[in-house]
């Protein structure tokens, strides 16, 4: 389990999430729906900031990527071609005594881990949610909620090629909901039955795949650190040949050290030409690529960096969580990267009189045109800082008696707790500079990938 002494536990994270409105249990007033979660006012901001950072870095900032938003419901043949109808299964066992169900590959012994009872033989359980399209509920109308967003990209490969003039090597990324009827969901947001994914399918010439696989491993491993996750809590783990999914030539997972142990944030697989080949065969449509320069026609190979959103969000929260002492008082502080923090600044009047609240509200309204900014006049200034520290707000702006004379405010930094005085008119520019997306560092592909694996 954990090798580092950190103040964080899953209980502290789930309590904070509920108390401050990051995450609520789905349908809570009806007793909750197992393993489904709702993002509250702060959670939805954090989630949007994560997906926007991903989109900006992987789609907008790159010449060789475009985006897509495909439908959740797809033709049932898609899932036959992709191998999901036949092969997207987990081995399921039941306890004959307490009737609980387990994934056979996650059990450490032959008995029920809950009651010690005898287990049934394992049988394969398909993880796709099935439903019906249209008014008739029969096999002809059976469709699936997609278990990954990737297939929406493969079936649109030719559409994107024909409409965007992209040339190989290039990739298509998308963010969207996926659904898996997991046998044993759990660990809060880590394994849920409805979740969001951020997926890239990067198409390359066969033979160039190994090099692109290394590049994407390095790039994605660096991305989590760029947004604040500590290097020592991340590792790249190569899959053994017995672990590989049915489509994969090779795969490495970016893993994070959660309080419950090292677990996958993102898988980066080399899918070869499996998907395009299967869709070509099943649909009868030619999905090959013609290289104008070399006059060659081939089926591209695919490198797939596939991340969830909930798992990285949980990792960002866990890694940011800290407890320390500020002004002689214990505080919880979320040291989130300012670009991910849900609320960017809080504006406080020192006193609830002398024109200070009115002045603070004007500042809030001006800044609100740029970022999510909040106003708080309740309680001592220390308590107000503490309330913001706990949700990761990077900047605290205080209006005091001097503000009323020279139009300057103090800006307090969440991490260093240092305060600097600055003119009100500089606030927006200053905060914008501090919240600007940083350009991804040019990475040394081989070195970074090697360092990451070692
Ligand atoms: P695991 O082995 O943990 O079940 P997986 O290897 O099946 O995961 P992938 O198919 O590689 O997962 O999916 C890519 C990413 O999607 C994962 O790295 C994870 O971040 C996210 N993901 C997959 N399943 C879930 C789930 N049930 N709940 C939340 N996120 C998920």
């Amino acid at each position: 389990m954990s090798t580092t002494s950190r103040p964080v536990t899953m209980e502290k994270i789930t309590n904070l999430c509920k108390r401050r409105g990051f995450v609520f249990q789905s349908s809570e007033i009806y007793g909750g729906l197992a393993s489904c979660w709702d993002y509250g006012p702060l959670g939805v901001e954090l989630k949007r900031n994560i997906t926007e950072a991903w989109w900006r870095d992987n789609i907008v900032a790159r010449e060789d990527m475009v985006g897509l938003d495909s439908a959740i419901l797809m033709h049932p043949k898609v899932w036959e071609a992709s191998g999901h109808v036949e092969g997207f299964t987990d081995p399921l066992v039941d306890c004959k005594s307490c009737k609980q169900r387990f994934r056979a590959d996650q059990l450490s012994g032959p008995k029920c881990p809950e009651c010690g009872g005898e287990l049934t033989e394992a049988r394969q359980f398909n993880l796709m949610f099935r439903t019906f399209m249209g008014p008739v509920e029969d096999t002809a109308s059976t469709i699936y909620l997609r278990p990954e967003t990737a297939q929406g990209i493969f079936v649109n490969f030719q559409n994107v090629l024909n409409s965007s003039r992209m040339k190989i090597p290039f990739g298509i990324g998308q963010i969207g909901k996926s659904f898996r009827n997991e046998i044993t969901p759990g660990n809060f947001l880590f394994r849920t039955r409805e979740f969001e994914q951020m997926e890239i399918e990067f198409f390359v010439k066969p033979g160039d795949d190994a090099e692109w696989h290394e590049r994407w491993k390095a790039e994605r491993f660096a991305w989590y650190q760029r947004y604040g996750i500590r290097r020592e809590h991340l590792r790249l783990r190569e899959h053994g040949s017995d672990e590989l999914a049915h489509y994969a030539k090779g795969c490495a997972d970016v893993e994070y050290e959660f309080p419950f142990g090292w677990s996958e944030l993102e898988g980066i697989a080399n899918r070869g030409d499996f998907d395009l080949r299967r869709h070509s065969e099943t649909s009868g449509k030619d999905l090959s690529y013609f290289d104008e320069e070399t006059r060659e026609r081939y089926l591209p190979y695919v490198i797939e960096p596939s991340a969830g959103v909930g798992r990285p969000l949980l990792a960002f929260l866990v890694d940011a969580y800290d407890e320390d002492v500020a002004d002689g008082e214990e505080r919880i502080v979320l040291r989130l990267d300012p670009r991910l923090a849900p609320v960017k600044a809080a504006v406080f009047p020192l006193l609830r009189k002398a024109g200070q609240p009115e002045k603070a509200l004007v500042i809030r309204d001006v800044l609100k045109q740029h970022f999510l900014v909040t106003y708080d006049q309740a309680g001592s200034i220390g308590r107000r800082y503490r309330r913001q520290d706990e949700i990761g707000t990077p900047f605290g702006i205080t209006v005091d008696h001097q503000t009323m004379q020279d139009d300057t405010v103090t800006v307090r930094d969440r991490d260093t707790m240092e305060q600097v005085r600055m003119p009100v008119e500089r606030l927006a520019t200053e905060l914008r500079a501090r919240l600007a997306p940083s350009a991804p560092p040019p990475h040394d592909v081989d070195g970074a990938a090697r360092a990451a694996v070692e």
Side-chain angles (χ1 to χ4, degrees):
M1 293 296 281
S2 186
T3 51
T4 44
S5 63
R6 295 192 267 168
V8 66
T9 61
M10 284 306 290
E11 200 189 349
K12 289 180 184 177
I13 292 289
T14 49
N15 286 345
L16 177 67
C17 280
K18 167 132 202 231
R19 182 157 45 81
R20 298 306 307 268
F22 281 93
V23 181
F24 307 124
Q25 196 177 13
S26 161
S27 322
E28 194 179 330
I29 60 169
Y30 290 102
L33 181 66
S35 83
C36 292
W37 302 94
D38 298 338
Y39 290 90
L42 294 181
V44 69
E45 295 295 336
L46 177 58
K47 185 154 81 72
R48 283 173 59 104
N49 294 339
I50 292 169
T51 52
E52 277 169 19
W54 184 92
W55 192 267
R56 190 178 55 232
D57 295 346
N58 291 292
I59 313 282
V60 179
R62 291 182 68 118
E63 277 300 298
D64 55 1
M65 287 286 304
V66 287
L68 182 81
D69 188 359
S70 67
I72 288 174
L73 302 178
M74 299 178 76
H75 196 292
K77 285 256 185 246
V78 168
W79 307 111
E80 284 173 31
S82 68
H84 282 82
V85 171
E86 204 186 333
F88 194 56
T89 55
D90 277 338
L92 169 73
V93 292
D94 294 281
C95 172
K96 290 181 181 168
S97 313
C98 72
K99 309 294 177 208
Q100 288 213 56
R101 295 183 150 179
F102 305 96
R103 257 172 73 173
D105 57 337
Q106 288 180 343
L107 293 177
S108 49
K111 297 284 185 200
C112 171
E114 290 298 321
C115 74
E118 202 186 324
L119 298 170
T120 60
E121 286 289 307
R123 62 183 189 283
Q124 290 302 323
F125 172 77
N126 196 297
L127 301 184
M128 283 197 292
F129 277 98
R130 246 180 312 176
T131 185
F132 302 100
M133 184 127 149
V136 187
E137 297 192 4
D138 63 11
T139 42
S141 63
T142 298
I143 55 165
Y144 302 95
L145 301 187
R146 67 180 176 199
E148 61 177 28
T149 68
Q151 297 303 324
I153 297 179
F154 294 124
V155 301
N156 277 296
F157 174 65
Q158 282 295 349
N159 282 335
V160 172
L161 262 188
N162 296 340
S163 58
S164 67
R165 305 178 67 226
M166 297 300 283
K167 288 195 169 46
I168 277 179
F170 80 97
I172 305 175
Q174 84 165 323
I175 299 178
K177 286 269 172 112
S178 295
F179 303 83
R180 295 183 189 177
N181 198 2
E182 300 274 4
I183 298 167
T184 44
N187 281 330
F188 195 33
L189 304 173
F190 183 82
R191 190 180 301 285
T192 56
R193 293 195 169 109
E194 172 178 345
F195 56 96
E196 217 163 325
Q197 289 186 303
M198 310 187 280
E199 292 198 296
I200 293 168
E201 305 304 325
F202 198 83
F203 301 95
V204 303
K205 188 174 174 183
D208 293 349
D209 48 312
E211 188 199 330
W212 276 104
H213 197 194
E214 292 309 308
R215 281 197 200 189
W216 276 109
K217 285 194 275 187
E219 170 57 30
R220 296 302 307 149
F221 192 74
W223 189 81
Y224 291 96
Q225 294 168 73
R226 212 180 296 150
Y227 290 92
I229 296 199
R230 274 161 285 183
R231 171 68 183 82
E232 64 267 30
H233 299 150
L234 283 170
R235 71 180 185 197
L236 246 189
R237 192 182 65 80
E238 297 285 342
H239 280 212
S241 53
D242 53 331
E243 271 183 281
L244 289 178
H246 60 274
Y247 50 76
K249 279 181 70 187
C251 189
D253 289 344
V254 178
E255 293 191 336
Y256 178 72
E257 191 183 19
F258 287 99
F260 47 83
W262 286 99
S263 304
E264 171 182 339
L265 289 181
E266 167 162 356
I268 303 150
N270 180 347
R271 293 177 82 124
D273 64 6
F274 178 86
D275 304 86
L276 290 180
R277 182 173 296 285
R278 291 289 290 255
H279 286 303
S280 285
E281 289 164 2
T282 312
S283 69
K285 302 280 185 316
D286 180 12
L287 300 181
S288 65
Y289 174 80
F290 183 67
D291 188 324
E292 302 278 353
E293 272 168 35
T294 61
R295 316 298 296 167
E296 281 175 284
R297 181 169 285 285
Y298 57 82
L299 265 186
Y301 275 20
V302 175
I303 305 302
E304 178 194 66
S306 167
V309 177
R311 288 186 193 180
L313 184 143
L314 184 58
F316 283 120
L317 279 176
V318 164
D319 222 66
Y321 184 96
D322 200 5
E323 291 166 359
D324 68 4
V325 175
D327 312 322
E329 260 185 70
E330 283 182 14
R331 68 166 183 168
I332 292 172
V333 53
L334 280 188
R335 301 190 193 280
L336 286 169
D337 183 291
R339 294 163 298 179
L340 301 186
V343 178
K344 304 305 186 196
V347 188
F348 315 115
L350 189 62
L351 303 175
R352 269 201 272 178
K353 57 184 184 189
Q356 291 182 18
E358 292 77 7
K359 179 72 185 169
L361 284 168
V362 169
I363 294 173
R364 178 203 61 185
D365 292 343
V366 169
L367 292 179
K368 243 184 174 314
Q369 293 173 26
H370 306 275
F371 334 95
L372 191 59
V373 173
T374 186
Y375 170 84
D376 187 3
Q377 61 171 28
S380 74
I381 193 75
R383 281 205 30 212
R384 285 182 268 167
Y385 283 145
R386 231 67 80 229
R387 234 176 258 146
Q388 296 302 323
D389 291 341
E390 195 179 55
I391 61 167
T393 307
F395 307 111
I397 299 166
T398 303
V399 167
D400 56 17
H401 60 277
Q402 193 177 327
T403 312
M404 309 314 288
Q405 290 155 11
D406 64 6
D407 218 29
T408 62
V409 286
T410 60
V411 178
R412 170 191 181 263
D413 181 288
R414 172 199 70 199
D415 298 325
T416 62
M417 290 182 279
E418 265 172 28
Q419 302 197 20
V420 291
R421 197 163 261 285
M422 73 173 69
V424 169
E425 62 180 17
R426 253 187 44 213
L427 272 177
T429 320
E430 186 70 25
L431 293 198
R432 198 168 318 115
R434 297 213 215 167
L435 294 165
S438 62
H443 57 258
D444 152 21
V445 171
D446 295 337
R450 219 176 306 113
V453 182
E454 276 161 6

